[in-house]
Amino acid sequence: MPIKRPDKGGKLTIRPITLLINHFCVTINPESTVLHYDVDIKPDMSAKKSIPKSDRRLIKDKLSSDDPTRFPQEMTAYDGEKNAFSAVLLPTGQFKVELSRGDEMQSGPYLFTNKFVNELKLSKLEDYLSGTLECIPRNVLQGMDLALKENPGRHRISIGRSFYSKEFRAADDFHCGVAAFRGFEQSLMLTSQGLVLCLDYSVLALRKQLSVIDFLKEHVQGFSQVSDVRLLKREVTSALKGLKVDVTHRVTTQKYPIAGLSSQNTQDIKFIFKVPKGNHPPREIGLVEYFRETYRKEIVYKDIPCLDFGRNNYVPMEFCVLAEGQIYPKDDLDRGRSLLLKKISMPPPEERKNTICEIVRAEDGPCGDVTKNFGIEVQKTITRESGRVIKPPNLKVGKGEIVTVDKKCQWKLSGKSVVEGKPIERWALIDFSSDKLNSDAFIQNLKYKCKNLGIRVEEPVVCHFTGMHEFSSVVAIQKLLESVVSQAKGKCEGRLQIIVCLMTEKNPGRKYLKWVSETQIGVLTQCFCTDQYLANLALKINAKLGGSNVELIERLPGTEGEEHVMFIGADVNHPAARNETCPSIAAVVATMNWPAANRYAARMCPQEHRKEKILNFGNMCLDLVNTYARLNKTRPKKVVICRDGVSEGQFDMVLNEELRDIKRAICNEDYQPTITLVIAQKRHPTRLFLDNGGGASGNVPPGTVVDTTIVHPFEFDFYLCSHYGTIGTSKTTHYRVLWDENNFTSDELQELIYHLCFTSARCTKPVSIVPPVYYADLVAFRGREYQEVAMELQSCPSSSYSVAAASLDERVYKLHRDIENEMFFI
């Protein structure tokens, strides 16, 4: 089980701060009970056809309207799958439901089977909060959560945990068949102040509910009139395939997925028509004639293809409208629209807070009749709480000089040098801009910037000029890098330290460069676009070469003494939601120095598709501990593991599977390090707002900590905002301590994590999440890029890599020995 909080919370502070938090207290009648039922819905036919979630809701609603006395609509909550919860006793057994869809072929009947599961007492929540019940009554929470979702679910577009308005604002229209739809997400939480509803503002890019032809006019470039369907058939097919539509030529609730376009124009499509009733023989009929006879609809656009719904089911485009609630991938938006979506999604704190307070009072919000009937009442007052701002650490740079941070906890290196600047003696420049004058200026500017930071830079051993076309294939990049490395060997002793790549713009072929350099050749690379800052470039290069940019003056809190401490970060990168086959990528990083604790080595490994448990966690940690021992001549006596990306429902897996795996791998009779395991959660809905509105950004200041009222009733957790937010509302990190053999106090662990956030090698400000997790996320993403390269290699039979790539085995992700312990991922 997760450990309990070791004290009553932290006390250290440089000043208290009054906060408003988007938690709304929920009161319940402890005498109330909720009845849980298992629901099964099947067609009353032999066909085993799956029923969509939306149709299941319609069937359940029809049952309630047919028999409101026994199945009262306002007394039940249904998840659209197997679970129904009721505030009153419902009849059990099988019930036949006739659901007319306006089309005889799509009508019921359906069999609705209702089976009693359990009686849930709301008093169980109070038992857990008081400590008399050991485990969270998740089934009670599930029933209450569904009850709170019933009202918004009936009035808004429901997607995951979120609910979005069915209308969009004129200013939120992207004019490409897509708009930003505003809404909210909600979740029930058990906290120190009791049961609360956490509400947060949310925005999602959705396709507009347009007719298919109007959508094409907005979405497909060059499409201006209906006849363009023929001229732009490939583009039209690409834009529509997989989308769902409603049809308007008949009354039906069914959503039809588009499989493609018909090969023939509408006027040329013919099929054998069998009359459902009567003894009329089958006859051939044209689609135009069929629509005229059956639906009394005259097709206007006869000389364009129809939409193909599969199985020779063709419907003219003019009778089709995009179904509501279809997500448009934000990555597919162009730069201008992406920036607009980001702006809409990230309102300033005061605006976000006011929107949340409006939502909790809205008629289509979480508070409806169903909620009241379950004995649940949501208070409309936002939570007010005192937080603490803890002191930033003292930092040092070159020659032991102390750096002072400003109000934003940022620092400047003007006139200062880094702690340890690694000389750049053997390096190459590949200029993809083909502009020698540009590269000459770049070299001089880089040398000047590095000199100011105390980093000596020699002239590049090799300067190679080429174009961005080299990024078109892995083979081209490999030949290019091998050529540069070969030229360098003839001009200097020792291997190249780094290859700097000067690019005109970001390019997806960058992943080829990284995979070839980091797994095949073993040379570090640094890409640089002409509009980036040279200061950040110098810091990244120094970190990659083993230098140190900034360090803490004092030891990290709770780590006093001579014992070495290792910090481990772990994360898993999953493939995109639409991908059903690619592996997930697990990444583990660990510090390789002490007491600075700012040098990291990384390991990565592919694993089962969307598997969150890190399968090789123990082996990767053992490898990193052995590497640490080889570099430092001693093994760490304390280990702090920071795990990213897991939800509360996965804590048991992390504690009782991953942690056990690590202990089995690294612990033996001679070596028993004390281990602390912390979960870092960034994807949570809790938001902190300043009561008085704050300064320029309106956000809470760096170092803001909350570990009372809104945290777990008795487990060890806290919220920390370690960065200065300039855009939108700052998102705190929720740290959950599951295991602690190092006996940290709240103050010690909060300060330790906050101070670690100042040690990031990429910038001169604290990062928003503890660096081991931040770096593990970077490494896991790099592994995803390797996997994408491997998939492309697999599709090229002539490629010499195809055999290794075909199985997506660990060889694809194996780092070259010359760089495996360097910070290549910075």
Side-chain angles (χ1 to χ4, degrees):
M1 297 289 289
I3 63 164
K4 302 293 190 287
R5 185 173 282 105
D7 44 41
K8 294 183 179 180
K11 303 296 181 186
L12 294 177
T13 182
I14 54 175
R15 70 178 187 274
I17 187 170
T18 304
L19 302 168
L20 299 175
I21 298 113
N22 60 334
H23 288 192
F24 299 87
C25 289
V26 176
T27 58
I28 58 172
N29 179 359
E31 302 299 319
S32 295
T33 58
V34 174
L35 305 172
H36 183 194
Y37 294 88
D38 177 82
V39 171
D40 184 41
I41 303 175
K42 293 179 179 177
D44 187 19
M45 305 288 287
S46 58
K48 295 182 179 180
K49 186 178 179 181
S50 63
I51 304 172
K53 191 173 182 177
S54 57
D55 286 3
R56 288 173 169 272
R57 290 188 179 279
L58 288 172
I59 294 164
K60 184 263 174 191
D61 290 346
K62 183 64 164 57
L63 179 64
S64 293
S65 64
D66 288 347
D67 194 350
T69 303
R70 295 199 300 165
F71 291 95
Q73 180 87 324
E74 301 303 314
M75 292 286 188
T76 57
Y78 177 49
D79 68 356
E81 297 290 347
K82 297 283 290 179
N83 297 290
F85 294 87
S86 177
V88 295
L89 191 67
L90 300 179
T92 56
Q94 276 193 348
F95 305 89
K96 186 174 287 190
V97 181
E98 292 284 348
L99 182 65
S100 175
R101 306 175 69 109
D103 182 332
E104 289 185 9
M105 295 178 68
Q106 296 294 334
S107 297
Y110 295 92
L111 286 180
F112 184 103
T113 304
N114 198 39
K115 182 181 178 182
F116 178 73
V117 177
N118 200 6
E119 181 181 12
L120 309 173
K121 297 180 179 179
L122 299 192
S123 59
K124 293 272 188 183
L125 294 173
E126 291 190 345
D127 293 342
Y128 177 77
L129 290 168
S130 65
T132 56
L133 184 66
E134 190 174 85
C135 296
I136 296 176
R138 296 193 184 280
N139 49 4
V140 177
L141 277 178
Q142 182 188 13
M144 294 180 66
D145 186 55
L146 268 183
L148 285 162
K149 288 178 176 176
E150 273 293 311
N151 192 61
R154 293 175 186 179
H155 297 94
R156 290 173 173 258
I157 299 170
S158 175
I159 299 175
R161 291 189 200 170
S162 302
F163 302 92
Y164 298 93
S165 172
K166 296 190 177 186
E167 305 294 331
F168 58 88
R169 301 180 185 181
D172 297 347
D173 190 352
F174 295 157
H175 301 289
C176 60
V178 180
F181 286 74
R182 302 179 186 232
F184 65 93
E185 63 172 307
Q186 66 178 54
S187 57
L188 273 178
M189 299 169 62
L190 290 168
T191 69
S192 292
Q193 68 172 330
L195 183 66
V196 298
L197 179 69
C198 184
L199 268 180
D200 192 26
Y201 169 78
S202 178
V203 173
L204 199 59
L206 301 177
R207 290 176 174 87
K208 296 187 289 185
Q209 205 172 1
L210 297 171
S211 70
V212 167
I213 291 172
D214 286 342
F215 173 76
L216 292 173
K217 287 178 180 178
E218 283 198 20
H219 191 75
V220 177
Q221 190 171 5
F223 192 105
S224 58
Q225 52 189 2
V226 177
S227 60
D228 289 331
V229 172
R230 298 192 305 273
L231 299 174
L232 300 168
K233 189 171 183 179
R234 181 181 298 177
E235 291 82 356
V236 168
T237 302
S238 176
L240 295 179
K241 193 171 183 179
L243 300 187
K244 292 183 178 180
V245 295
D246 298 310
V247 295
T248 60
H249 62 281
R250 58 186 177 83
V251 179
T252 177
T253 58
Q254 188 166 356
K255 316 291 182 188
Y256 294 91
I258 301 172
L261 299 184
S262 61
S263 57
Q264 297 174 294
N265 288 337
T266 303
Q267 61 196 6
D268 300 322
I269 297 175
K270 293 181 171 58
F271 61 96
I272 302 300
F273 177 57
K274 298 178 181 178
V275 181
K277 295 179 181 178
N279 298 320
H280 301 288
R283 63 187 175 97
E284 186 179 68
I285 190 172
L287 192 68
V288 174
E289 183 183 355
Y290 173 76
F291 266 71
R292 186 184 299 127
E293 289 183 5
T294 307
Y295 304 113
R296 296 183 180 178
K297 298 288 184 182
E298 191 65 43
I299 298 173
V300 177
Y301 305 116
K302 302 179 179 67
D303 57 347
I304 63 170
C306 285
L307 294 184
D308 180 3
F309 295 156
R311 298 184 180 181
N312 297 318
N313 186 2
Y314 302 113
V315 175
M317 287 187 193
E318 61 202 81
F319 299 125
C320 298
V321 176
L322 293 191
E324 71 175 14
Q326 297 189 78
I327 298 172
Y328 188 81
K330 61 182 181 181
D331 292 341
D332 292 350
L333 293 170
D334 60 31
R335 178 174 170 78
R337 292 184 175 100
S338 291
L339 291 173
L340 178 57
L341 178 63
K342 187 176 182 179
K343 181 182 177 182
I344 298 167
S345 303
M346 302 175 71
E350 190 68 16
E351 183 183 332
R352 191 183 200 105
K353 181 196 70 177
N354 292 339
T355 301
I356 290 168
C357 291
E358 289 170 7
I359 289 168
V360 78
R361 294 179 175 87
E363 290 186 2
D364 57 357
C367 307
D369 291 338
V370 175
T371 306
K372 294 174 185 175
N373 292 335
F374 272 74
I376 303 168
E377 184 178 357
V378 179
Q379 304 299 316
K380 307 299 191 298
T381 307
I382 196 167
T383 294
R384 185 184 302 272
E385 173 59 359
S386 293
R388 294 175 290 116
V389 179
I390 56 179
K391 185 180 178 181
N394 295 314
L395 305 173
K396 66 179 179 182
V397 288
K399 302 175 183 177
E401 185 178 355
I402 297 174
V403 177
T404 304
V405 299
D406 60 22
K407 290 182 180 179
K408 299 177 182 178
C409 285
Q410 300 173 5
W411 61 96
K412 294 181 180 179
L413 291 176
S414 306
K416 298 178 176 64
S417 60
V418 295
V419 175
E420 181 187 3
K422 286 289 184 180
I424 309 174
E425 299 169 331
R426 302 177 307 280
W427 67 290
L429 175 70
I430 302 179
D431 187 349
F432 290 94
S433 70
S434 304
D435 186 347
K436 189 175 188 307
L437 290 175
N438 186 41
S439 62
D440 288 343
F442 170 77
I443 293 168
Q444 297 311 310
N445 289 335
L446 179 62
K447 290 176 69 175
Y448 176 76
K449 179 59 68 175
C450 288
K451 181 182 178 181
N452 289 343
L453 291 172
I455 305 168
R456 179 168 56 86
V457 182
E458 301 293 342
E459 288 290 322
V461 176
V462 174
C463 282
H464 186 92
F465 300 93
T466 184
M468 295 293 288
H469 64 275
E470 297 277 14
F471 286 103
S472 61
S473 72
V474 184
V475 175
I477 284 291
Q478 173 121 11
K479 286 180 179 178
L480 173 63
L481 294 183
E482 286 178 344
S483 172
V484 169
V485 170
S486 177
Q487 290 178 59
K489 279 183 180 178
K491 294 183 179 182
C492 67
E493 293 184 6
R495 67 184 184 92
L496 279 177
Q497 293 171 282
I498 195 165
I499 299 175
V500 178
C501 301
L502 189 58
M503 301 164 63
T504 56
E505 60 185 1
K506 292 182 179 179
N507 189 289
R510 171 187 170 277
K511 62 191 174 190
Y512 304 147
L513 179 84
K514 294 299 181 181
W515 184 76
V516 170
S517 65
E518 292 161 5
T519 68
Q520 306 298 302
I521 295 176
V523 177
L524 294 167
T525 56
Q526 178 62 57
C527 295
F528 180 77
C529 288
T530 51
D531 59 348
Q532 290 178 309
Y533 293 108
L534 274 170
N536 280 11
L537 180 74
L539 294 178
K540 287 183 180 182
I541 290 175
N542 192 48
K544 287 184 178 183
L545 297 182
S548 178
N549 297 330
V550 67
E551 294 180 4
L552 305 175
I553 293 177
E554 293 92 7
R555 284 284 185 95
L556 286 162
T559 65
E560 295 75 13
E562 297 303 315
E563 295 178 334
H564 282 231
V565 182
M566 172 186 270
F567 294 94
I568 293 176
D571 190 21
V572 179
N573 179 287
H574 298 295
R578 291 169 288 179
N579 185 299
E580 298 178 356
T581 57
C582 287
S584 293
I585 311 296
V588 181
V589 303
T591 51
M592 290 290 125
N593 61 340
W594 180 254
N598 63 352
R599 295 283 312 146
Y600 288 77
R603 303 291 183 264
M604 67 181 82
C605 188
Q607 56 184 44
E608 294 174 38
H609 174 77
R610 303 202 75 78
K611 182 83 170 179
E612 184 57 48
K613 177 187 173 183
I614 300 178
L615 301 181
N616 289 326
F617 209 164
N619 289 336
M620 286 191 279
C621 287
L622 177 61
D623 187 6
L624 290 165
V625 168
N626 289 339
T627 301
Y628 187 100
R630 190 167 63 252
L631 295 173
N632 298 277
K633 312 305 180 189
T634 186
R635 288 181 289 191
K637 294 295 190 293
K638 296 181 179 180
V639 175
V640 178
I641 303 169
C642 300
R643 177 71 159 92
D644 185 27
V646 290
S647 62
E648 190 170 341
Q650 296 166 320
F651 286 179
D652 181 71
M653 174 271 292
V654 175
L655 261 177
N656 295 303
E657 295 180 43
E658 289 187 348
L659 182 58
R660 287 178 186 272
D661 182 33
I662 293 168
K663 282 176 169 284
R664 276 194 296 265
I666 68 174
C667 297
N668 54 48
E669 292 181 3
D670 301 322
Y671 182 56
Q672 296 281 338
T674 50
I675 297 176
T676 296
L677 175 59
V678 182
I679 305 295
Q681 294 178 316
K682 214 44 174 153
R683 297 184 185 93
H684 63 83
T686 298
R687 296 288 180 271
L688 309 184
F689 305 98
L690 289 172
D691 190 18
N692 58 7
S697 74
N699 276 307
V700 297
T704 299
V705 174
V706 182
D707 60 359
T708 56
T709 305
I710 64 168
V711 295
H712 194 278
F714 37 79
E715 291 176 3
F716 192 0
D717 70 320
F718 57 91
Y719 292 90
L720 169 65
C721 179
S722 54
H723 69 296
Y724 179 80
T726 56
I727 303 173
T729 305
S730 293
K731 182 182 283 190
T732 59
T733 300
H734 190 191
Y735 293 98
R736 307 287 298 266
V737 187
L738 300 190
W739 192 254
D740 183 24
E741 297 169 352
N742 292 302
N743 300 316
F744 287 111
T745 65
S746 291
D747 278 327
E748 286 174 339
L749 196 57
Q750 289 163 12
E751 269 202 309
L752 182 149
I753 287 176
Y754 182 44
H755 289 187
L756 267 180
C757 290
F758 285 77
T759 64
S760 170
R762 285 166 63 110
C763 52
T764 55
K765 59 185 177 182
V767 289
S768 64
I769 196 165
V770 66
V773 165
Y774 181 51
Y775 291 153
D777 180 68
L778 293 177
V779 175
F781 181 76
R782 182 63 57 81
R784 174 64 55 209
E785 291 183 310
Y786 290 177
Q787 179 265 323
E788 290 171 359
V789 174
M791 291 297 290
E792 291 186 32
L793 292 173
Q794 184 179 345
S795 64
C796 300
S798 60
S799 170
S800 59
Y801 310 112
S802 58
V803 175
S807 61
L808 292 178
D809 63 24
E810 293 183 23
R811 287 175 292 173
V812 173
Y813 309 86
K814 177 66 176 173
L815 297 167
H816 195 282
R817 65 177 182 273
D818 288 341
I819 61 102
E820 66 177 350
N821 297 323
E822 307 294 344
M823 295 177 70
F824 64 91
F825 48 85
I826 286 292

